[in-house]
Amino acid sequence: MCYDVNAQLETQLKRAMRDADEHAIREIREKMARETDLPLFHVTGFQHPKMIIYTNGNPNAPVVSQWGLVPFWAKDKKDIWNKTLNARGEAIFEKNSFKTSAKNKRCLIYIDGFYEHHHHGKETVPYYISRKDLQPIALAGLWNEWTDPETGEIRNTFSIVTTEGNPMMAEIHNNPKMAGPRMPVILPDGLEDEWLKPYRDELDQKQLEELLRPYPESELAAHTVGKLRGKDAVGNVPEAMVPVVYDDVKTTY
DNA sequence: CCAGACGTTGTT
DNA sequence: GTCTGG
DNA sequence: CCAGACGTTGTT
DNA sequence: GTCTGG
């Protein structure tokens, strides 16, 4: 699970800035950034925000992409893109909606942190999760280009790959309806580019699947924040990440 | 064979 | 309790 | 994923 | 486009 994120422009662009010249930097900042919905202090995937991703096609070039992968064969985005916000890592090479992307269209999404809901009695308490060192979180993703049959418009869309959750995530995300803790795939420093390597054979697939593991909780911090859903939702404002204390709920990890 | 789906989710 | 909308 | 609705009717 | 269910 990973349906709620905090993604700042600088965080999303950091990778591009490593090797961009001044002209490229200006192009990116002045043109591309305006096509996104950044900054996103809190957004849910169900709003299908436009963000920046880095694809295997050109790993250092930022691309505007919309959250909620629409497979190329889909006739209409509406029925599918609320169901493809996440892609179960164990099955990305099997599922119709993801298999071609898993082979040929993998991507990185850099975010500052993400949110999960904890259930305490009848109350729902959101947590904000980030790296302890506050560095950008590199998420493993899948992307695709989909042509809208109605407008002819080509849309770039993406999905966040998930894996089993670490013990901290299991404690936080304790929705009774769910069967097994999950968390987004966070690629450790130095391994991001492995996710963008070409797929040639079964061995490559094995190596890609090796990357889809839970990130160690020792590197993650979490604290309770204000409501993210419903009429009390804090909205897309910096206050979304500000700590909020709830009775009888662990405040920080 | 055709029709219809194609997806995700941890017990206060 | 269960479904839909965001 | 969670929050909120869950119903009917000819007019603000 | 491709798989599953009937």
Side-chain angles (χ1 to χ4, degrees):
Chain A
M1 39 55 185
C2 181
Y3 292 144
D4 300 81
V5 301
N6 164 27
Q8 297 305 306
L9 180 62
E10 291 308 311
T11 303
Q12 291 232 281
L13 288 184
K14 189 173 178 185
R15 182 183 175 97
M17 294 308 165
R18 291 187 314 195
D19 61 5
D21 59 26
E22 288 206 8
H23 175 71
I25 288 176
R26 204 175 320 114
E27 284 280 309
I28 291 167
R29 283 192 185 285
E30 295 181 7
K31 291 188 179 167
M32 181 173 297
R34 224 179 295 120
E35 296 171 23
T36 71
D37 294 312
L38 299 166
L40 300 168
F41 302 99
H42 169 258
V43 70
T44 94
F46 297 100
Q47 295 172 287
H48 306 288
K50 289 180 179 172
M51 304 171 60
I52 284 170
I53 66 171
Y54 297 87
T55 72
N56 57 311
N58 194 346
N60 295 316
V63 174
V64 177
S65 185
Q66 197 164 11
W67 191 359
L69 188 146
V70 185
F72 66 92
W73 42 258
K75 296 188 185 74
D76 182 20
K77 63 184 178 339
K78 285 231 157 200
D79 295 330
I80 191 85
W81 73 343
N82 280 345
K83 302 172 182 175
T84 53
L85 299 172
N86 290 169
R88 195 178 170 85
E90 295 88 330
I92 53 173
F93 290 100
E94 321 295 329
K95 299 289 187 181
N96 284 338
S97 291
F98 298 127
K99 58 203 298 184
T100 56
S101 292
K103 275 194 178 184
N104 305 314
K105 295 181 189 297
R106 291 176 306 280
C107 67
L108 300 172
I109 308 108
Y110 287 90
I111 64 171
D112 295 81
F114 57 98
Y115 303 85
E116 297 293 351
H117 289 88
H118 179 73
H119 292 258
H120 185 260
K122 59 180 182 177
E123 196 173 26
T124 304
V125 178
Y127 280 79
Y128 176 66
I129 298 120
S130 59
R131 281 174 58 147
K132 274 184 183 165
D133 60 13
L134 299 180
Q135 288 303 300
I137 290 173
L139 297 180
L142 303 175
W143 65 285
N144 191 36
E145 277 179 344
W146 177 71
T147 304
D148 189 332
E150 295 191 356
T151 64
E153 175 192 10
I154 296 175
R155 255 174 217 266
N156 191 308
T157 63
F158 71 92
S159 181
I160 294 172
V161 179
T162 66
T163 185
E164 57 183 311
N166 64 35
M168 184 185 85
M169 295 306 306
E171 266 194 52
I172 291 177
H173 199 238
N174 61 350
N175 184 319
K177 289 180 185 171
M178 296 198 270
R182 306 291 298 173
M183 68 182 294
V185 173
I186 299 173
L187 297 167
D189 293 342
L191 289 183
E192 299 105 306
D193 294 271
E194 295 293 311
W195 179 243
L196 302 182
K197 279 189 173 178
Y199 179 110
R200 294 155 309 189
D201 52 33
E202 294 280 326
L203 182 59
D204 290 330
Q205 178 171 328
K206 286 257 165 43
Q207 291 177 354
L208 290 167
E209 287 172 329
E210 280 291 305
L211 296 169
L212 306 180
R213 314 200 328 192
Y215 194 72
E217 65 179 79
S218 58
E219 305 297 320
L220 294 174
H223 65 258
T224 51
V225 296
K227 301 290 186 177
L228 304 175
R229 300 277 158 84
K231 50 180 160 58
D232 295 329
V234 62
N236 182 21
V237 292
E239 291 74 50
M241 296 95 76
V242 171
V244 171
V245 175
Y246 294 81
D247 290 341
D248 301 327
V249 175
K250 186 167 174 176
T251 304
T252 58
Y253 282 88

